[in-house]
Structure formats: C-alpha cells, structure tokens
Amino acid sequence: MEPSSRHDRLTRLAETTLQPGFVGTTVPDWVRRGIAGGGLTSVVLFGRNIVDPEQVARLTAELRAENRDLIIAIDEEAGDVTRLEAWTGASRPGNLALGAVDDVDLTESVARDIGRELHAAGISLNYAPSADVNSNPLNPVIGTRSFGARTDVVSRHTAAWVRGLQSAGVAACAKHFPGHGDTSVDSHHGLPQVSASAEEIAATALPPFVAAMEAGVRVVMTAHLLAPAYDPELPATLSPRILVDLLRGELGFDGLVVTDGIEMSAVTARYGIDGATVRAVKGGADAVCVGGEHAGEATFDLLTDALVRAVVDGTLPEARISEAAARVAEFAAWSGSRTRAVVTDDEASDIGLVAARRALRVLTEQGRESVLPLVGAPHVVELSPMMNLAVDGQTPWGVAAPLSDLLPGTTSVRLTEADLTESGDLLDRKGLDPAAERSLVVVVRDVARHGWMSAAMTRLLGSRPDAVVVEMGVPNGAAPGAVHLVTHGATRVSGVAAAEFLAGRR
C-alpha cells in the first residue's frame, strides 16, 4: 500500500473512533467535511448546540445529509443532567427520584418518554443511564444521578431505564464502568480511586452493568478512575485489564465501549488529551468522547493526528484501531436503522410530574399541621452550591419560582458560599427578611456535602425554628426544620411538585 494511501486510511480510522462536540446551533464546515470524507461517524450535542427540539431536529437532519447512519449522541440523563432542557429545567425527575419510588414500570415509562423526545429530535445514542451505585453519600459527582445506594435497586432500575429508552428507538449507554459511586473525587478535576477489593466491586458495583447488558444495552461508558484491585497503574478508561479482561472477557460485553469526556483532568493531567486518547483506544475503548470543554476543529485534528502517529510508530496496533472503527461502524448501522423507525406516542405527557410527585418524602412532621399548607406568600432562601461540570450551572432549579406561580407575592433570594464569605451579614439581611410573620422556606442541595450550607441552614433555623426545609439533593438522614421535605433531585419538575405540596395544591 502506498504511504499516502495508508495515511488516508489511518486518518479515516482515527476519525471514526472520535465522537467530537462542536460549537453552535448549525453544522460547522469542519464537521461537514469530516462526515462527507467518510471518516467522521459520530458527533455529540451539548446544551450549547440546543435552542429547542425543533431546532435540534433541523440540526440532526443537516448532520445526516451526508451519512444517514451518523451517530448523534447526547448526555440526556434527565434529572439534574439535561441537555435538551438545559435552558428550561428538566421536565422529568432524575434517577435518585425514580429509585426512591422504586417502581420499575414508572422508570421504564419515564425513560421511554425521554427516548421518544430524543428520537423525534434525531438523536440515536444517549449517554445514559448512570449505573453507578452511590455507596459514598459524599460523592461529589454522582449523587442524584444514581438510582440509590443499594445495588439491587440500582440494578433493576438501570435495566428498566435501558429497556424504556431503547424501546423508543434510541440506544442507551450504561456508565461509568466499573462504577463511580464509591468515590470522593470529581474526575473532572482529579483522579478518583476505588479502594474496594475485586470481590467487593463484583458484589456491589458490577451488578447494575450486568443488568444493563441483560436488558440489551449496546454501549458502555468508561470511568476515569483508578481501581487498584484490577489495575494499580492505569485509570479504567485506559486499562486493558478493566476494558478487555473484565468487561469483555469476564462479563462478556460485545458492544461499543465509549470513554467519558477524554478532556477531563483525571486522565489528561498525566497523559495530556492526545496521550489519553491514544491510550484509551489502545486499552480497549472503541470511541472517544470529546468536546465538553475542548470543542472544535483544532482538537479534532490534534486527536486524529495523535492516533495516526501512534499507529505509524507502533504505539497503537493497527489491528486495534481497525477493530474499534469496525465496532463503531457496526453500531452506526444498527442505531441508524432504529433512528429511521417509527415510534408511537402512547404515554401520558405528564409522566415526569407524576414521577416527581411520587418521589416526594416528608421526613419531619413535628409541626406540619401548624405550618402547612403555607398561608400567604412565603420568603424562600435557596442555598446554591457550585455544581460539577456534568450539571449545567445555568439550568433552572429550585422551589421559589413555582411557589411564586402558586402564591403570588412570594419573595426569594439565592445565596452561594461566595456570597456568604464576602458578606458575613448577608444571610441575616436576606435570609430573615421579610419579618417573621411570613413563612420561611429554606431550600438546600446536598447539604451534607457542604459545611457552609449546613451552617447557614442551622443559623436560619436558629432564628426561625418554624421554617420548612426542602432538600433537593441526596438526603443525609438528618431532618431539621418544622417540616423537612425531600425531592430526590433539583429538576424543575421536582420544584413544581414540592411547591404544590407546600401550597396545599396536591
């Protein structure tokens, strides 16, 4: 084979293994050229690419003009991680709420509802569900994205979510293998480590992935974490011991393996984005997700060139990248046929609100009869943490807005840790204003993980023991406040369900 012909072939193979994101709501020229050239087989959409479902449908049609089987992926977990509804807030609760209800039929219906919307918009692959068992309650990156802390609950709801989504013509993706729930570091910023033994991981973290495979999942996403029980040196995304020996060998998975965002610090801090990409494909990944933070032609070209050079210099076996590209092409043909299939619309349009209402729990009712329903417009204090990069920080959440609709005249303030650090008296001036005759609602989000939030809540309750507390993150067992309401997620629809309850409308 002539050198130029081999280089062109390797370039196409490298492009096929990449799943890049891009900026804008129309197709950039470099993406169009890559698809037309026969190499680029996948793209990923983020919130920045989305205005509304109709615009997304036009965008996906434009993307598929050159390749009708183009894989178009999105990270639409619903709940706190939403892309389609990043600007409006999710209309469906997330995994923790569904796990709290523990009705697999409901979970399957919610996932099918998500799938129908994605299918109508032209999406063929959804990077969901999270199959992680949130066994560490202080986990900074999974939390409400998990169905819960029990392996059996997570397993059955992971399977139900996969069945529901794929019944609507959209491929599911179980993540983050081999399980990101027992970690205390956000892989966007550092390298988490799972200290459990192989036997403990097999008993607690792996069963949901097995359940997903049994339900027919066609894609598994890797985790950027170190699991010394399997590989003491390489993160799972880069580890043949985990991706080949464990996932494919021991568990028998024969579908597509895609990386978590390859630009995350857990892998790039040591290897660089190009080095991590090469090592991921060499280690057993078939597709490399990139573009959450580094989107554009320069990154695409950098990674393509890195893969080609690695094959040429012998670092990456040509047989391995050929195998990866073939698996991507096989998945593209399978998912493309499903994208073109007709999907019926037979679910209630309010399934998300139904699920959010069912997920509400009242943990403390020591003074409920004298506090609820709220009489008149309350004052709402929302204590807002800094979100991890998986969650779009601009996505609307909370209880104040829907309460304002139900109880006109509601006043509110949203305070961050920085607000309270910079102005010590801000909590007193904003949190307890107006006067005590108005009901006070304190909204928190993962209060157990944030010392400043816990201190602020305690201070407010010290002055107003009759206050209502709404926890919109992972509940921690403690239940301060005259009434303590848990939503199991901070989606828009969870806020609506909480507001209805507080106002006595449900």
Side-chain angles (χ1 to χ4, degrees):
M1 184 182 295
E2 294 295 325
S4 60
S5 299
R6 181 172 187 249
H7 185 275
D8 290 346
R9 176 177 176 275
L10 293 179
T11 298
R12 286 194 296 274
L13 290 175
E15 290 179 348
T16 299
T17 64
L18 299 177
Q19 296 192 339
F22 57 88
V23 177
T25 56
T26 57
V27 182
D29 289 342
W30 67 270
V31 172
R32 198 185 308 276
R33 288 195 304 270
I35 299 170
L40 183 56
T41 309
S42 316
V43 295
V44 184
L45 301 184
F46 294 88
R48 62 176 178 247
N49 304 120
I50 294 168
V51 175
D52 54 46
E54 292 74 22
Q55 170 266 326
V56 177
R58 292 193 299 271
L59 175 60
T60 57
E62 187 181 359
L63 283 164
R64 288 205 175 94
E66 295 286 349
N67 178 3
R68 69 176 192 162
D69 289 339
L70 183 75
I71 300 166
I72 302 179
I74 199 168
D75 192 2
E76 182 58 50
E77 298 178 17
D80 294 346
V81 178
T82 178
R83 304 296 179 242
L84 273 185
E85 300 181 296
W87 310 118
T88 60
S91 58
R92 307 168 189 92
N95 286 358
L96 187 62
L98 296 173
V101 177
D102 200 10
D103 179 342
V104 292
D105 292 335
L106 177 67
T107 295
E108 190 167 339
S109 294
V110 169
R112 185 163 46 248
D113 192 49
I114 295 167
R116 274 198 304 272
E117 185 172 11
L118 293 176
H119 186 273
I123 308 295
S124 56
L125 169 61
N126 187 10
Y127 294 148
S130 168
D132 306 296
V133 180
N134 197 55
S135 49
N136 182 350
L138 301 182
N139 194 313
V141 71
I142 301 300
T144 60
R145 302 167 66 191
S146 168
F147 289 108
R150 286 175 42 190
T151 297
D152 61 329
V153 172
V154 177
S155 295
R156 59 177 170 264
H157 288 279
T158 294
W161 216 97
V162 169
R163 290 193 302 268
L165 186 78
Q166 295 194 161
S167 71
V170 177
C173 172
K175 63 184 184 186
H176 307 79
F177 188 83
H180 212 312
D182 189 17
T183 57
S184 58
V185 173
D186 184 346
S187 49
H188 292 91
H189 306 299
L191 179 61
Q193 179 168 318
V194 176
S195 60
S197 68
E199 293 75 18
E200 289 169 332
I201 293 172
T204 59
L206 296 186
F209 293 96
V210 174
M213 295 173 206
E214 292 174 346
V217 76
R218 296 295 292 261
V219 185
V220 168
M221 177 177 280
T222 67
H224 299 330
L225 56 80
L226 198 66
Y230 295 112
D231 191 330
E233 297 180 1
L234 292 174
T237 294
L238 318 180
S239 172
R241 296 184 187 179
I242 293 175
L243 301 186
V244 179
D245 298 346
L246 176 60
L247 179 58
R248 295 209 184 278
E250 186 175 331
L251 300 185
F253 181 65
D254 62 359
L256 188 72
V257 176
V258 61
T259 72
D260 203 349
I262 203 65
E263 59 264 63
M264 293 162 63
S265 293
V267 290
T268 59
R270 180 172 180 181
Y271 302 104
I273 191 171
D274 50 349
T277 296
V278 170
R279 284 170 172 80
V281 176
K282 182 180 180 181
D286 305 306
V288 176
C289 172
V290 63
E293 300 169 64
H294 296 274
E297 184 176 9
T299 299
F300 181 68
D301 289 345
L302 171 69
L303 301 189
T304 300
D305 292 345
L307 288 166
V308 171
R309 285 197 310 273
V311 175
V312 172
D313 68 21
T315 302
L316 174 62
E318 186 169 344
R320 169 77 273 269
I321 197 171
S322 296
E323 176 191 44
R327 197 171 276 122
V328 172
E330 178 185 11
F331 175 80
W334 175 83
S335 63
S337 65
R338 295 171 69 83
T339 299
R340 292 186 291 277
V342 176
V343 174
T344 59
D345 186 4
D346 59 356
E347 293 286 352
S349 60
D350 63 348
I351 186 69
L353 183 56
V354 169
R357 288 167 175 164
R358 291 183 62 186
L360 290 177
R361 298 289 185 272
V362 180
L363 301 187
T364 299
E365 298 189 82
Q366 55 191 249
R368 177 176 172 180
E369 66 284 347
S370 62
V371 174
L372 296 181
L374 298 176
V375 177
H379 181 57
V380 182
V381 180
E382 295 178 334
L383 301 174
S384 179
M386 180 178 293
M387 303 310 302
N388 66 70
L389 291 177
V391 181
D392 191 319
Q394 302 303 310
T395 301
W397 69 278
V399 175
L403 263 180
S404 295
D405 293 335
L406 296 175
L407 299 174
T410 293
T411 56
S412 65
V413 62
R414 180 167 290 182
L415 301 174
T416 67
E417 180 179 14
D419 292 331
L420 301 185
T421 300
E422 293 167 5
S423 178
D425 66 344
L426 188 61
L427 186 64
D428 291 331
R429 289 189 290 110
K430 297 290 187 179
L432 298 178
D433 178 36
E437 62 265 16
R438 300 187 68 176
S439 297
L440 177 65
V441 178
V442 181
V443 182
V444 295
R445 191 170 179 178
D446 292 325
V447 69
R449 291 199 304 108
H450 303 284
W452 71 269
M453 189 183 298
S454 177
M457 179 185 68
T458 300
R459 189 167 156 191
L460 288 170
L461 293 178
S463 299
R464 291 292 304 273
D466 62 327
V468 174
V469 174
V470 182
E471 169 62 86
M472 301 196 77
V474 178
N476 69 339
V483 176
H484 191 98
L485 183 65
V486 175
T487 64
H488 299 98
T491 63
R492 174 176 59 82
V493 73
S494 297
V496 170
E500 289 178 340
F501 182 85
L502 296 177
R505 304 299 173 88
R506 289 294 304 174

